[in-house]
Amino acid sequence: MITVIGHDGSPLPEPARQALAEAALVVGGARHLAALPVPETARTVVMGDVTAALEEIGEQAEKTGGVVVVASGDPGFFGIVRALRERGHRVRVLPAISSVAAAFARAGLPWDDALVVSAHGRELRRAVNACRAHPKVAVLTGPGAGPAELGRALFPQHPRVFVVCEDLGGPHERVVRCRPAEATTRPWRDPNVVLVLDETRPAAPRGWIAGARPGPDRWALPEEAFEHRGSVVTKAEVRAFALARLGPRIGDLIWDVGAGSGSVAIECARFGAAAIAVERDADSCERIRRNVRAHGVRVAVSRGRAPAVLEHLPDPDAVFVGGGGPQVVRACAARALRTVVVALASLERVRPTLDALTAEGLTAQAVQLQAARLAPLPGDVHRLAATNPVFVVWGDRNPAPLPSPPASPSRRPQTLAPLPETDQ
Ligand SMILES: C[S@@+](CC[C@H](N)C(=O)[O-])C[C@H]1O[C@@H](n2cnc3c(N)ncnc32)[C@H](O)[C@@H]1O
């Protein structure tokens, strides 16, 4: 049994003090080891290289036991408990207050509605995309992924307030409110947590689930849910298929290129993804903004002509191309990390679109979709009203293998043993 002690700067509770006093090996960050009463008799290992430290922990735990690991905040939350359990260790966890809980407490804010994301030892872009889409996000930072890098990624398109909480509970604790632009120019002390707040959005209503809200109650919304010019809007049935192939999620960035009414971008935002609507027409951009406001989501609108305008945008996970030729599709395919989905009315565009996707290394497929909707006729009868056929062409980068179904039916009828008879 390994004892894992959380440290938040406050004096250790008695069980943690006792475990430390009896320890043969104490492993932890330099600042924790310096701040705590580690007995002279105990061997200490500074947790720099986590893999090497885990090796030492494993050896000592097997030999004599008496291993204590000290980590920040709640070690069960984005902390060392996961790695110890993955190696099969049994652990006794004595947590302190997580830096995230402390940060929200310092800001005087509730946080059951906040997203908590980690950029510590991970790519920053997912954290940035979460901040683009959500009004209240706590970011656990790390080297090369701190307040300055976050500020650089969010400024100027995303007006936010940062609450940077440095060295919480430590001798250099400081809490600074600033704008993303200011965060890029100041030096920051590690460790820190950044609360990224969109104060222009109304406070979330009282919820029942912590963190991200559940997905939308409906999607592939009817065309009437969007203001559109003429009937220039992706039809609900086509949008349903496109959304299924785009797979928008929290942490993703989706481009909707040739966005028209912005219906695809808005639906992606409703799934929790960050979204950018790219549109060259000024009136359409205004219409997209009105639609975005009506749906209460965040979608950035980038006015300009693709492919040139795409050069200035951050890399997307997935792209929907509703307008633009093979040149635009190819530019999108070159940047997309996961998927490009293209909706086409003309048969002649299908081949060049497939070629544009495969030329950028995507595995391409296509389908023609046609729906016939039930339309009422006088006399309480219905006819089928056909919508225009649409080709959907899509390409995936390194598609993950799908789970294969069992080779043969494995469920044989089973004979159950009869229940023992009982006298009532
Ligand atoms: C691996 S995570 C560990 C989180 C920890 N389990 C917790 O509950 O706070 C490390 C990150 O937590 C944040 N952090 C940990 N201790 C902190 C402190 N005292 N002040 C500010 N941030 C802290 C920093 O973002 C740091 O890069």
Side-chain angles (χ1 to χ4, degrees), residues 408-414:
S408 59
S410 57
R411 299 185 80 206
R412 293 225 190 112
Q414 287 179 8

Side-chain angles (χ1 to χ4, degrees), residues 188-210:
W188 299 105
R189 191 186 290 274
D190 288 329
N192 59 64
V193 175
V194 186
L195 307 184
V196 181
L197 310 174
D198 182 351
E199 293 186 333
T200 62
R201 286 222 247 173
R206 199 163 68 94
W208 64 274
I209 186 170

Side-chain angles (χ1 to χ4, degrees), residues 111-201:
W111 64 287
D112 43 82
D113 55 340
L115 277 188
V116 182
V117 298
S118 179
H120 185 91
R122 298 161 172 86
E123 55 173 356
L124 183 63
R125 55 180 297 277
R126 293 219 163 272
V128 169
N129 288 338
C131 296
R132 288 185 173 119
H134 292 268
K136 192 189 270 186
V137 184
V139 184
L140 293 168
T141 61
E149 289 83 3
L150 261 181
R152 217 163 284 137
L154 291 171
F155 175 78
Q157 298 92 344
H158 306 276
R160 295 286 185 276
V161 169
F162 280 10
V163 181
V164 184
C165 304
E166 298 170 297
D167 192 28
L168 290 164
H172 304 290
E173 173 168 327
R174 188 172 67 145
V175 177
V176 178
R177 259 179 89 89
C178 66
R179 292 278 170 191
E182 198 187 337
T184 63
T185 60
R186 295 173 66 142
W188 299 105
R189 191 186 290 274
D190 288 329
N192 59 64
V193 175
V194 186
L195 307 184
V196 181
L197 310 174
D198 182 351
E199 293 186 333
T200 62
R201 286 222 247 173

Side-chain angles (χ1 to χ4, degrees), residues 400-406:
L402 298 171
S404 44

Side-chain angles (χ1 to χ4, degrees), residues 8 47 54 145 174 204 208 227 232 280 305 313 367 405 413 423:
D8 60 9
M47 179 92 77
L54 285 167
R174 188 172 67 145
W208 64 274
E227 180 190 332
V232 185
R280 63 179 178 199
R305 194 173 276 273
L313 304 182
V367 68
D423 293 328

Side-chain angles (χ1 to χ4, degrees), residues 23-24 40 65 70 94 115 135 152 154 170 172 228 234 259 311 330 361:
E40 279 180 8
V70 188
L94 305 172
L115 277 188
R152 217 163 284 137
L154 291 171
H172 304 290
H228 50 88
T234 309
E311 278 169 31
R330 183 146 184 190

